[in-house]
């Protein structure tokens, strides 16, 4: 098993591979209505090859698929991009659920596993999520995972032909430790 693979009650995460192409592309096509206008995952073989090439064996990126444990079906994907080590030790998360898995809590479990990998084996200290203000599902996932809103970045990312505003969310190892301690003790993490 890969060092970056992990599982929870209902999902498993593992690094994205070229063998994921057919199912990933099919799921992305099925999920167009869910993803638009926020996400544009690869919906054909050539686009997937380009996407995977940027993530597989890249020192500054890690791509994961979230799989349902009972069926092995791809439920979504999560990437850690722009990884910087040294004093910063930070990465930016990107993610998307596939339509058949949306709203079932599978991405919450998958994101928790990726955060564990980022703060554990990958040695990061901080993770960031940049979400468009109208993307309620993405923002809700960030909140559920314990990320805090840190600010607003106008015209931050070029998506679908225009520079889009984004909210900046972040989680650090210290925040995560306080949340875990609070959950064990039953007290708010404040």
């Amino acid at each position: 098993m890969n060092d970056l693979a992990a599982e929870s009650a209902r999902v498993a995460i593992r690094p994205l591979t070229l063998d994921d192409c057919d199912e990933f592309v099919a799921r992305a096509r099925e999920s167009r209505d869910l993803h638009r206008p926020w996400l544009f995952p690869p919906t054909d073989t050539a686009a997937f090859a380009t996407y995977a090439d940027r993530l597989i064996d890249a020192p500054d990126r890690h791509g994961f698929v979230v799989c349902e444990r009972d069926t092995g079906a791809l439920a979504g994907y999560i990437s850690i991009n722009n990884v910087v080590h040294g004093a910063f030790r930070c990465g930016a998360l990107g993610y998307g659920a596939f339509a058949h898995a949306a709203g079932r809590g599978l991405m919450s479990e998958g994101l928790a596993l990726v955060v564990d990998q980022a703060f554990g084996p990958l040695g990061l200290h901080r993770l960031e999520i940049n979400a468009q203000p109208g993307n309620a599902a993405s923002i809700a996932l960030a909140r559920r995972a314990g990320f805090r809103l840190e600010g607003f970045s106008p015209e931050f990312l070029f998506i679908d032909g225009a520079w889009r505003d984004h909210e900046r969310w972040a989680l650090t190892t210290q925040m995560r430790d306080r949340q875990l301690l609070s959950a064990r003790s039953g007290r708010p993490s404040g």
Side-chain angles (χ1 to χ4, degrees), residues 3-20:
D3 290 346
L4 295 179
E7 55 186 39
S8 64
R10 297 183 303 149
V11 303
I13 61 164
R14 61 172 174 73
L16 176 82
T17 70
L18 292 175
D19 291 338
D20 292 316

Side-chain angles (χ1 to χ4, degrees), residues 17-73:
T17 70
L18 292 175
D19 291 338
D20 292 316
C21 181
D22 292 343
E23 184 179 4
F24 191 104
V25 166
R27 298 281 185 198
R29 284 184 191 145
E30 293 167 1
S31 304
R32 277 187 176 129
D33 290 343
L34 174 68
H35 292 156
R36 301 296 191 262
W38 319 113
L39 300 173
F40 296 84
T43 56
D44 63 53
T45 305
F48 180 84
T50 300
Y51 172 77
D53 187 51
R54 288 192 313 245
L55 292 170
I56 297 172
D57 297 326
D60 63 341
R61 295 178 184 187
H62 303 278
F64 297 89
V65 288
V66 178
C67 305
E68 296 183 61
R69 280 190 62 192
D70 59 346
T71 65

Side-chain angles (χ1 to χ4, degrees), residues 24 39-40 51 66 70 107 121 130 142-143 153 168 177 179 183:
F24 191 104
L39 300 173
F40 296 84
Y51 172 77
V66 178
D70 59 346
M107 289 301 290
N130 295 292
R143 275 195 183 108
S153 298
R168 291 188 326 274
D177 290 347
Q179 292 166 1

Side-chain angles (χ1 to χ4, degrees), residues 36-150:
R36 301 296 191 262
W38 319 113
L39 300 173
F40 296 84
T43 56
D44 63 53
T45 305
F48 180 84
T50 300
Y51 172 77
D53 187 51
R54 288 192 313 245
L55 292 170
I56 297 172
D57 297 326
D60 63 341
R61 295 178 184 187
H62 303 278
F64 297 89
V65 288
V66 178
C67 305
E68 296 183 61
R69 280 190 62 192
D70 59 346
T71 65
L74 298 185
Y77 56 95
I78 302 171
S79 59
I80 307 173
N81 303 296
N82 307 322
V83 172
V84 178
H85 289 282
F88 195 34
R89 294 190 305 162
C90 182
L93 293 173
Y95 47 78
F98 292 126
H100 75 282
R104 296 174 40 206
L106 302 175
M107 289 301 290
S108 290
E109 285 187 40
L111 183 56
L113 293 171
V114 170
V115 168
D116 288 345
Q117 296 302 307
F119 289 163
L122 295 175
L124 299 180
H125 168 259
R126 176 184 175 86
L127 291 170
E128 299 178 355
I129 293 172
N130 295 292
Q132 293 179 62
N135 190 344
S138 184
I139 290 169
L141 180 57
R143 275 195 183 108
R144 281 193 307 275
F147 284 69
R148 71 175 169 224
L149 178 63
E150 289 193 335

Side-chain angles (χ1 to χ4, degrees), residues 180-189:
L180 294 173
L181 185 61
S182 174
R184 282 189 218 119
S185 71
R187 291 180 298 213
S189 61

